[in-house]
Amino acid sequence: MREGPDIALIGALIGDPARANMLTALMSGKALTASELALEGGVTAQTASSHLTRLESAGLIARRRQGRHSYFTLGDAEVGDLLEAMMGLAAKRGHLRTRTGPKDPALRKARVCYNHLAGEKGVRMFDSLMAAGYLIEREELTLTRVGEEFMTDLGIDLDRLSSPRRPLCKSCLDWSARRSHLAGALGEALLDHFIDTGWARREVGSRIVRFTRVGEVAFDRLFPVAEAA
Amino acid sequence: MREGPDIALIGALIGDPARANMLTALMSGKALTASELALEGGVTAQTASSHLTRLESAGLIARRRQGRHSYFTLGDAEVGDLLEAMMGLAAKRGHLRTRTGPKDPALRKARVCYNHLAGEKGVRMFDSLMAAGYLIEREELTLTRVGEEFMTDLGIDLDRLSSPRRPLCKSCLDWSARRSHLAGALGEALLDHFIDTGWARREVGSRIVRFTRVGEVAFDRLFPVAEAA
DNA sequence: GGAATGGTTCGATTATGATCGAACTATGAG
DNA sequence: CTCATAGTTCGATCATAATCGAACCATTCC
């Protein structure tokens, strides 16, 4: 093993795509479980476990065991600041887009994040719900009265979703768009809804969500987005 | 090849020991040649060349060809700030490497961070400027009216420093003290001023800034710090 | 008490990329 | 022109560490 300054250790930790995705997911500030992070990182649970152990022992993340779950958060605010700074640099020099495989555009457009919709479509839905006043962000993300009506009209049974353990609404940071999208029981129910109605279907063996022609039109009409005035 | 967010690219670049050593060497602010950097990185010229090309194309360093030499510097001040922040994190969780050589106390006391003053002296100056009301932190760090007077009295030409692209004042996190110090055009000008007036000089081949006896006294008088009441 | 689920450990495989030798280009010196 | 030095390119080698299958622990549910 060669000698290197400490920044190499940190850099190498952040430098692995799986770990970088996990860390990015944690930038939302919410605690995530090991399996959620495995999905975010695009790796299996075993692999994720080893990554998480390494990140923890370097202090980049913190682990809190609760029952049979392990919840992870960023180590402290300074870690978040560092990641933010790196994103800033990366964005500035954004001309190095290599390896844009054919899968990429589809993944960026719509994909599954754990069990809910992520990607451009997910962000669009979130923005639209916020703009319409259906969702508001207080301490937690909550569905307003009119929002409840909207969901019920869609055919979503909110009563069945409510659970003392699992939050109805959660925001989740989108790594490709770096914007929030909707997670939680409602986020899951909505994605299921889109699948059930045939607006979209999941591509087997990948995280891609493919919208049908009519599905996309209906989706975009249902979740309008304010154009520049 | 797997998909990863942009921060993974930057992380991976910094994550290699040879490259990390090169970048650390460049933190002195001096331009170094390819072979000097090869030595700093502990690799042969061929290997260094490939590293340098990659760092350049990511914008982390800049290359200036001159005769048969290639001179390299950090891409810009923001890169220096990022490295500084990573060193801070690394130092905090520094269970692996102390190597507190004889150089360390001097480095901790005063050193160059890209182009401005860091270390205890840098932090002291920053605190003093804040306490005196010369600097205030609003959205951005800004120099107040009285602060402008103070700088002008010191002999610093603020007009010459103002630029639409580069912020006059920026705070930069100090890794040894874990406190902010002053970066930006003004930070650079102040360090230059201390060198010009003979209060301090830079040690060759390192980041250490050494204050002369009289320089230190003058500096401490110019930037008083509130003792505990 | 199972059974199911979330998480971790172990071992073997594999892919990435760091590395250097050797050959090549370009600038400068005598 | 010849030689020396600085830097880069190419190709082959090799080490690191990311990955997953499988087995194993721990907690909760029934």
Side-chain angles (χ1 to χ4, degrees), chain B residues 126 129-147 169-171 182:
Chain B
F126 183 83
L129 289 173
M130 292 288 284
Y134 295 158
L135 278 179
I136 57 175
E137 193 139 28
R138 273 191 243 141
E139 299 197 355
E140 293 181 338
L141 197 64
T142 51
L143 193 63
T144 62
R145 188 69 58 87
V146 282
C169 305
K170 254 184 66 180
S171 70
L182 183 65

Side-chain angles (χ1 to χ4, degrees), chain B residues 2 34-35 46 49 63 68-70:
Chain B
R2 255 255 313 300
S35 33
Q46 311 92 290
S49 180
R63 179 194 313 243
R68 58 176 166 179
H69 291 279
S70 278

Side-chain angles (χ1 to χ4, degrees), chain A residues 1-228:
Chain A
M1 171 98 56
R2 257 254 314 298
E3 236 352 81
D6 298 341
I7 60 170
L9 296 175
I10 298 195
L13 283 173
I14 303 179
D16 177 77
R19 286 192 294 259
N21 281 325
M22 293 176 178
L23 290 169
T24 305
L26 289 173
M27 295 262 308
S28 72
K30 299 265 159 86
L32 298 176
T33 65
S35 34
E36 284 169 333
L37 288 169
L39 272 159
E40 287 289 341
V43 291
T44 61
Q46 312 91 290
T47 305
S49 181
S50 122
H51 285 315
L52 291 169
T53 303
R54 292 188 58 192
L55 287 172
E56 185 195 10
S57 70
L60 293 187
I61 62 174
R63 181 194 310 244
R64 207 177 59 219
R65 289 177 207 267
Q66 215 169 107
R68 58 179 166 179
H69 290 279
S70 277
Y71 285 97
F72 295 89
T73 54
L74 290 187
D76 62 21
E78 206 175 321
V79 175
D81 292 345
L82 176 64
L83 294 174
E84 192 76 20
M86 292 182 79
M87 286 178 173
L89 261 190
K92 201 153 69 169
R93 335 246 188 283
H95 35 58
L96 25 113
R97 183 127 317 263
T98 39
R99 48 165 152 160
T100 309
K103 276 181 172 179
D104 238 12
L107 256 185
R108 212 181 310 270
K109 184 170 184 185
R111 66 177 178 280
V112 169
C113 170
Y114 191 47
N115 54 24
H116 56 268
L117 186 65
E120 287 164 17
K121 287 295 180 195
V123 170
R124 179 189 179 116
M125 181 172 77
F126 183 84
D127 286 348
S128 181
L129 290 172
M130 292 287 284
Y134 296 157
L135 279 179
I136 56 175
E137 193 140 29
R138 273 191 244 141
E139 298 197 354
E140 294 183 333
L141 198 63
T142 51
L143 193 63
T144 62
R145 188 69 58 88
V146 283
E148 289 176 0
E149 270 177 42
F150 176 83
M151 293 301 166
T152 307
D153 286 350
L154 257 188
I156 292 185
D157 184 356
L158 292 173
D159 292 335
R160 199 175 49 77
L161 294 182
S162 81
S163 145
R165 325 228 220 121
R166 183 173 181 206
L168 183 66
C169 304
K170 253 181 65 181
S171 71
C172 176
L173 195 65
D174 200 285
W175 66 257
S176 59
R178 277 216 271 137
R179 303 274 305 278
S180 289
H181 59 240
L182 183 66
L186 182 58
E188 178 176 6
L190 281 167
L191 176 58
D192 289 348
H193 178 74
F194 302 142
I195 306 285
D196 290 345
T197 56
W199 286 7
R201 55 185 164 64
R202 298 198 42 181
E203 191 148 300
V204 288
S206 98
R207 297 173 61 191
I208 294 178
V209 172
R210 269 197 209 286
F211 276 78
T212 61
R213 193 78 57 88
V214 293
E216 180 154 7
V217 172
F219 180 96
D220 288 351
R221 188 173 314 145
L222 188 61
F223 302 108
V225 68
E227 301 298 337

Side-chain angles (χ1 to χ4, degrees), chain B residues 2-20:
Chain B
R2 255 255 313 300
E3 231 357 76
D6 299 341
I7 61 170
L9 295 175
I10 298 195
L13 283 173
I14 303 178
D16 177 77
R19 286 191 294 258

